[in-house]
Structure formats: structure tokens, C-alpha cells
Amino acid sequence: MNRLLQNLRRSGYWFIDYLSGGKTKNHYSEIKNILENPGSNEILEIRKRRLEHLLLHAAHTTPFYKEFKGKRLSDFPVTNKNIILDNYEDLKSSDYEDARLYKASSSGSTGIPFSIFQDKVKRSRNTADVIYFSKIVDSLLGNRLIYLKLWDHTNVKKKSTMFLQNILAHNVMDSSNEEIKKLLIQIAKDKSEKNILGYPSFFEEICNYLDVQQDLPTISNVNSIISFAESLKDSERDRMSKYFNAPIFERYSNQENGILAQQTKDSNGNFVLNWASYYFEILDLESDDHVKSGGLGRVVVTDLFNFSMPMIRYDTGDMAIYEKDQAGYPFLSKIYGRRTDTIYNTGGEIVSPFIFYMVLDFSKIKQFQFIQKDKTEYLFKLNGTPQDVAEEEIIKYFRNYLGDDANIKFEYVQEIPLLSSGKRKKIANEFMEYV
């Protein structure tokens, strides 16, 4: 019965899309063709035409880009959230003054609330991106989706929509043991094929709960788990895979654009870039030069489908390691997240954020947060008690990464608070010279 309902939902969706002109299906077919045949001349020509069309449109219909008529992409300025907010009205296309537009908003967890307007074509493209990138990790349209994120008045769905989309929604703010227990009971009762999509920080809450349970719930038919919005550390990857008996993949996306990259079953932990819908540049941290293969750079995105408010050479604020495969095709091997969440050693060099999770090996704590306060000043906020923390051992261990002159302090708190986005920031940099 469950499989029949899933098939009906899937068929129904595509039938409705067919009646409305097959827009999403056409996008899906193009995305599949581009990403699965990246080196063909036909695909390269399609991508070239889309980029040229966007640049021409932006230069002729927006005040901000009018001086760049006839220019190449490299001649256009690199933008960011602040530049877009300062030039908001001048970035809107005159061709869409009377069109119905949709607002895509980020939570402002980085300190800058941010919204972008999108047209119908962009929305349809995003939907097709989600269907494609979900399908390649066995998350099929119509299957039960366990959706773990911040659900509030800005994005809550109607019960009828939840039923049609087959979504079991759980608000990550509901993270008590009792609420997690209820969620797991719901998942265990559902014997249909299902997938899990959520924040890694909430995966951690689930795993911490399961770690201390003697009788584990019997959960079946989870095809895959997709994490998004935060970096996924190895312990959450391993524990989620064990408890739900399913592979887990990281997705790199944002609210203002959509799905930018994702790990797949064949990518060996690397991130496949969504060249079908975006043009990517990974630029040097200190200049607008493109980094070489193996280099760390800024993720700069040109959205090929939002014509109502073009986002050209948009610096996402994230950093990544850029590499090329044997055929010369680019991918991201690591994504470090926002530069404002990047830690530097006392010599000014970037330190991998994942190393700070090692504090758990030297202490018995519930939560932690690591903050760079100054060039040589660092702080561990720990949800625990001093007698359960080997402070001297922690200092000795982390000075190997931060520098011999690193001054590492400790603060004990009752709770590491959630951000307004429902995420819990583990790493933060308050040293303004680097931020």
C-alpha cells in the first residue's frame, strides 16, 4: 500500500507538471544531460550560451550592471551580501517589474538577514535540481521524507501539502530526549521507503540520545541520509549510518541560490558541482585570481537562472578546496564554510575546523563551542564541569595546531544556545582583523 501511494504521488506530480507545460521535467532532463555528459561539445555550448545570455540580460535591464554591456564574466565585479543590500533596487531587472516574484530568505544567522527575489523559471529550476540531486542518492520523488530543520511561521507547510509531498517534518528546536524519542517512534512505525534530510547538529542530538539507549528502535527502509546547512563531521556520519543503516551524503546549498554541490554514491566523498544551473569560480582569499587545483579559495557563484535579480560572481562567504579530476573536470574536495567561522593559528594560517571536535576526547561534556577572540586568544565554551575536563591536556594538544603562544581559556556554561536558524554554531571567530 505504501509503495502504491509513493508511485501515485510520483506519477501525479509529473502529470500535473505535464499539464502545465512540462517545465520542471524539461529542466530535470537538461540538468541530467549536463551533469552526466560534462565534457561533450554540445554541453559546453549550452553552458556558454546560458552564461552569455545572462550577462547580456543583466547589462541591458539592471542599473547596477549597465556599464558592463559587451563585457566578459571576468570584467563583472565580485559581489557579496553587503554589496547586494547596498544596491538592492539597482540589481532588479526592469523586465520583471510586473511579474510575480518569490522571496528567498536566509535566516540571518551570519549576522546579515538577506532576501533575494526569484522568478518562476528560477523556482522551477530549483525544484528540478532538488529532484535530480535527491534521486542520485536514492531519495526518490514521492518517497517518505523525514525533514529535520527549523520549521517556523516563515516556512511551515499546510497539512495537505505535507501529505501530498509525503513529508514528516520535525522542528530542530524540539530537541529534548522526549521529543527525540517521539520522532524515532514515528520513524520506526513507518515501514515505507524513506529518506532523511536535516542539519548535522540535530543528527548529533539524535545520536547522543541513541548512544545511551539499551533498547534501540527498529528502523527499516531508510534509503539514504542527506545533511545540509552545516559541516558534517565523521562521528555523525558514522553514527547516523550505523543507527539508520543507510549511507549519508553532504549537500552544499544556500537559500539565495539553491543546490550548489553534493556528494554522490560515486564521488568518493568529493562534492559534484552543479554546473547545470551555476557557473563557479574558486577565487584566491586575497585577490580575484582563480586558485590552482588543490588550492583553498572563496566560492563565487553566478546563478544562470535568476533573471529577475541577477546574481553574478556572488561570493557566498564560504571557502573550499578546488581540484580537478583526471579528465580536467573541477570538483570540491572539502568545503570549510564561512570565512567568519574560520579559525587561524597565531601565525595567521587557517586551521581545519574539524580538529576542534577532538576536545571531546579530553573531557566529558555535552556540548562545546570554540571561539577565536584575538590573534593569540582562544576560548572553549563547554557545557560541563571543570572536574570533567582535562584543561592542561587540551591546551597542550591544541597548541600543536594553534601555536606555542596560543592562550587557550575555558568557560563553563549550561547550554550552547541555538541560533535563530535552528543551528548550533560550534566554531566562531570574533577577531575582526581576520573576519
Side-chain angles (χ1 to χ4, degrees), residues 165-202:
Q165 296 181 353
N166 206 9
I167 293 174
L168 191 167
H170 183 88
N171 193 339
V172 295
M173 294 295 191
D174 299 332
S175 59
S176 69
N177 285 346
E178 189 60 34
E179 287 156 339
I180 290 175
K181 180 181 178 180
K182 288 179 182 177
L183 170 65
L184 292 172
I185 290 172
Q186 282 183 286
I187 297 174
K189 284 182 177 178
D190 189 332
K191 303 304 180 183
S192 65
E193 289 188 54
K194 62 185 74 68
N195 299 82
I196 299 173
L197 175 66
Y199 299 161
S201 56
F202 192 70

Side-chain angles (χ1 to χ4, degrees), residues 262-306:
Q262 183 181 286
Q263 295 173 338
T264 72
K265 291 186 287 185
D266 301 318
S267 68
N268 296 316
N270 296 315
F271 292 81
V272 174
L273 286 160
N274 184 7
W275 289 99
S277 300
Y278 306 93
Y279 186 90
F280 294 93
E281 299 171 89
I282 311 301
L283 303 184
D284 187 86
L285 299 179
E286 304 299 333
S287 72
D288 288 344
D289 297 328
H290 203 287
V291 301
K292 296 179 181 179
S293 182
L296 174 69
R298 299 174 287 142
V299 180
V300 176
V301 173
T302 295
D303 191 326
L304 299 176
F305 283 87
N306 191 2

Side-chain angles (χ1 to χ4, degrees), residues 2-140:
N2 285 327
R3 188 177 292 260
L4 176 62
L5 284 173
Q6 289 173 343
N7 289 335
L8 283 173
R9 284 186 175 95
R10 191 175 305 124
S11 299
Y13 177 85
W14 289 122
F15 181 67
I16 293 171
D17 181 64
Y18 169 78
L19 293 178
S20 62
K23 297 180 181 65
T24 302
K25 184 68 172 180
N26 291 336
H27 280 302
Y28 175 85
S29 297
E30 184 183 86
I31 292 163
K32 186 176 188 297
N33 189 26
I34 290 175
L35 294 180
E36 296 179 9
N37 302 282
S40 78
N41 290 332
E42 175 195 359
I43 297 307
L44 294 174
E45 184 60 30
I46 289 173
R47 289 178 48 211
K48 178 184 176 185
R49 286 201 309 269
R50 288 211 176 277
L51 179 59
E52 290 175 346
H53 181 44
L54 173 74
L55 299 182
L56 190 65
H57 166 82
H60 282 85
T61 69
T62 69
F64 184 80
Y65 288 117
K66 66 180 180 181
E67 63 184 278
F68 299 98
K69 292 177 182 177
K71 300 291 186 179
R72 299 171 301 175
L73 178 66
S74 58
D75 297 320
F76 279 66
V78 175
T79 63
N80 55 35
K81 285 185 178 181
N82 285 321
I83 291 173
I84 290 173
L85 289 171
D86 288 344
N87 299 274
Y88 204 74
E89 294 303 317
D90 286 346
L91 280 161
K92 294 179 180 178
S93 170
S94 57
D95 283 0
Y96 290 82
E97 286 180 354
D98 299 321
R100 180 185 177 186
L101 300 178
Y102 306 85
K103 183 181 285 189
S105 302
S106 66
S107 62
S109 59
T110 60
I112 308 175
F114 189 61
S115 297
I116 285 291
F117 285 99
Q118 299 176 344
D119 52 77
K120 288 193 292 185
V121 173
K122 169 62 180 173
R123 296 274 285 193
S124 184
R125 187 70 173 198
N126 274 3
T127 299
D129 278 333
V130 171
I131 294 171
Y132 176 81
F133 278 94
S134 297
K135 184 177 181 180
I136 60 176
V137 293
D138 296 328
S139 180
L140 301 182

